[in-house]
Amino acid sequence: VKRYVLVFDQFEELYTYPEELVDEFQKQLADLYYGVIPPDFRKNLKRELHINDELRAQYDDKLELEIEQKLEVKLLFAIRSDRLSLMDRFKVCIPEILNSSYELRPLDMKQAKKAIEQPAAKEGDFISNPFQYTPDAVNTILDFLTEGATKRVEAFELQIICQFVESKVIDEKLSEVNRKKLGDDLNSILRNYYQDQIDHLDNEAEKKAAITLIEDHLILENSQRRVSLDREMLRGLVSDELLAKLVNTHLIRREANKYGGFNYEISHDTLIEPILRAKRTRKLKDEIEQAQRKKSENLESRIHNIKRMGIW
């Protein structure tokens, strides 16, 4: 028996499509889950066997057995907790759809340790070779993320740090990561994540548009809060292509709204402080450059006046 696991991430976005398409998708998925052979498929297969001698010779005696054999299919849906009620519509086709559910909460120490070590040691067709963390490296990461075992681990922060480590593994061809490879300040990894993702955009125009969107429109500086804006409010500011890139970097996320479109917002509160720091640094740099330009312009003006007066 062939076994398949179908994973659907950000499943809430399905319900942004027209209702009739959602209903058809749900029915088809239910047929697959329960092993129901769609009538059109059965009809087309029998017609093909009828006109194809080679296939008929191979399957004629076993046709019913082959097409009735049930696949073992597992379905895994990832959906935002505040959109979980949308899954009720699935109960018409798959009544037990919510019988097994699990809320992804911040990780405890044991869970975070597994999340650090096990993917790193996994063998397969990956960009990086399998590698190991030394115990002191793991303990350093856990102590930082839990603030000395006083809180649980935010998966988003753990992901950023592990992504940083993996990039070092790839660049330096490491098989082991020790405490020294983590650097002197793990907090700088979180702080630099925002700027690093901006720097990896294709050109200066994209970088400028992304900075303007994130720093000036998706965050309230005084209250340090994220702002969620409808796509229509961003027309002329950023392209759909750039929005997709920023979503893929996890700097921003999109979520369906009640108007049939999408809202965009900074993906996590962890990014607020690094974004505001980058904004302040950028503003200070602009002010210094502006002051230097003004000083240079004043100096050139004075030299021009002196020359005009014949003193030079």
Side-chain angles (χ1 to χ4, degrees):
V1 178
K2 293 184 178 180
R3 297 176 176 86
Y4 297 90
V5 178
L6 304 183
V7 182
F8 300 89
D9 194 15
Q10 295 182 300
F11 196 67
E12 64 273 6
E13 293 194 11
L14 171 69
Y15 297 95
T16 64
Y17 290 91
E19 187 170 342
E20 59 272 17
L21 294 181
V22 174
D23 292 341
E24 178 63 23
F25 174 80
Q26 292 179 161
K27 183 179 183 303
Q28 291 181 4
L29 197 59
D31 286 345
L32 179 63
Y33 178 69
Y34 289 119
V36 177
I37 306 300
D40 287 345
F41 176 80
R42 182 191 296 272
K43 181 179 178 181
N44 291 337
L45 178 58
K46 287 187 174 181
R47 182 173 64 248
E48 183 66 23
L49 291 175
H50 180 71
I51 64 177
N52 190 315
D53 293 337
E54 183 178 349
L55 281 178
R56 185 167 65 252
Q58 181 179 356
Y59 286 105
D60 197 31
D61 295 335
K62 301 183 294 181
L63 175 59
E64 291 301 320
L65 177 63
E66 291 289 340
I67 64 178
E68 292 293 348
Q69 181 180 9
K70 181 179 178 180
L71 298 175
E72 184 174 330
V73 177
K74 301 293 185 182
L75 305 176
L76 176 62
F77 303 95
I79 186 170
R80 290 179 54 139
S81 59
D82 57 349
R83 297 290 188 273
L84 188 60
S85 61
L86 294 172
M87 299 296 289
D88 283 336
R89 291 177 54 182
F90 236 116
K91 288 184 178 180
V92 176
C93 300
I94 306 179
E96 67 268 33
I97 191 70
L98 291 175
N99 284 5
S100 298
S101 58
Y102 179 77
E103 182 182 4
L104 291 178
R105 305 179 65 188
L107 308 177
D108 60 29
M109 296 276 277
K110 184 177 180 180
Q111 292 169 330
K113 188 174 186 292
K114 286 184 178 180
I116 293 170
E117 295 178 331
Q118 293 185 3
K122 187 75 172 177
E123 295 188 5
D125 187 18
F126 304 116
I127 297 177
S128 67
N129 292 322
F131 65 97
Q132 293 182 334
Y133 289 85
T134 59
D136 64 326
V138 174
N139 291 335
T140 297
I141 293 173
L142 292 177
D143 185 66
F144 168 72
L145 292 176
T146 61
E147 296 181 3
T150 61
K151 69 169 192 173
R152 295 168 71 93
V153 176
E154 290 287 347
F156 183 77
E157 296 179 344
L158 179 60
Q159 179 183 357
I160 291 176
I161 290 184
C162 288
Q163 181 177 317
F164 166 82
V165 171
E166 188 171 4
S167 68
K168 291 185 74 70
V169 168
I170 295 171
D171 293 341
E172 302 179 24
K173 297 180 172 55
L174 302 175
S175 60
E176 182 180 86
V177 174
N178 55 33
R179 170 66 185 86
K180 185 176 180 181
K181 290 297 182 181
L182 299 176
D184 297 328
D185 181 13
L186 286 182
N187 201 43
S188 67
I189 298 174
L190 301 180
R191 290 200 304 265
N192 294 336
Y193 179 78
Y194 167 64
Q195 191 60 54
D196 288 343
Q197 298 306 312
I198 294 295
D199 290 341
H200 279 89
L201 292 174
D202 292 337
N203 53 63
E204 291 303 318
E206 283 193 344
K207 294 176 184 178
K208 183 177 180 180
I211 289 170
T212 300
L213 167 67
I214 294 173
E215 296 182 9
D216 296 339
H217 292 82
L218 295 184
I219 191 169
L220 295 176
E221 187 169 359
N222 291 337
S223 57
Q224 298 190 11
R225 289 170 47 210
R226 293 180 288 165
V227 177
S228 180
L229 295 180
D230 184 272
R231 175 67 183 100
E232 293 304 314
M233 300 179 68
L234 305 177
R235 295 291 177 193
L237 183 62
V238 287
S239 65
D240 289 336
E241 180 183 8
L242 179 55
L243 279 175
K245 288 181 181 179
L246 294 175
V247 170
N248 287 336
T249 64
H250 303 293
L251 287 181
I252 66 173
R253 69 181 181 188
R254 74 171 191 171
E255 61 173 279
N257 58 38
K258 63 182 180 181
Y259 305 108
F262 294 97
N263 281 12
Y264 291 85
E265 64 182 8
I266 294 169
S267 61
H268 199 275
D269 285 338
T270 301
L271 292 173
I272 292 178
E273 192 272 337
I275 290 172
L276 291 178
R277 176 183 278 106
K279 182 176 182 178
R280 290 192 293 267
T281 300
R282 216 177 316 275
K283 286 177 64 175
L284 179 60
K285 182 180 177 181
D286 290 342
E287 290 172 0
I288 292 174
E289 290 179 350
Q290 185 177 5
Q292 289 175 338
R293 283 196 301 270
K294 187 174 181 179
K295 183 177 180 180
S296 178
E297 290 171 358
N298 290 338
L299 179 59
E300 290 178 1
S301 177
R302 291 176 62 186
I303 292 174
H304 175 73
N305 290 335
I306 291 172
K307 285 182 176 180
R308 189 177 61 178
M309 295 170 62
I311 300 176
W312 189 271

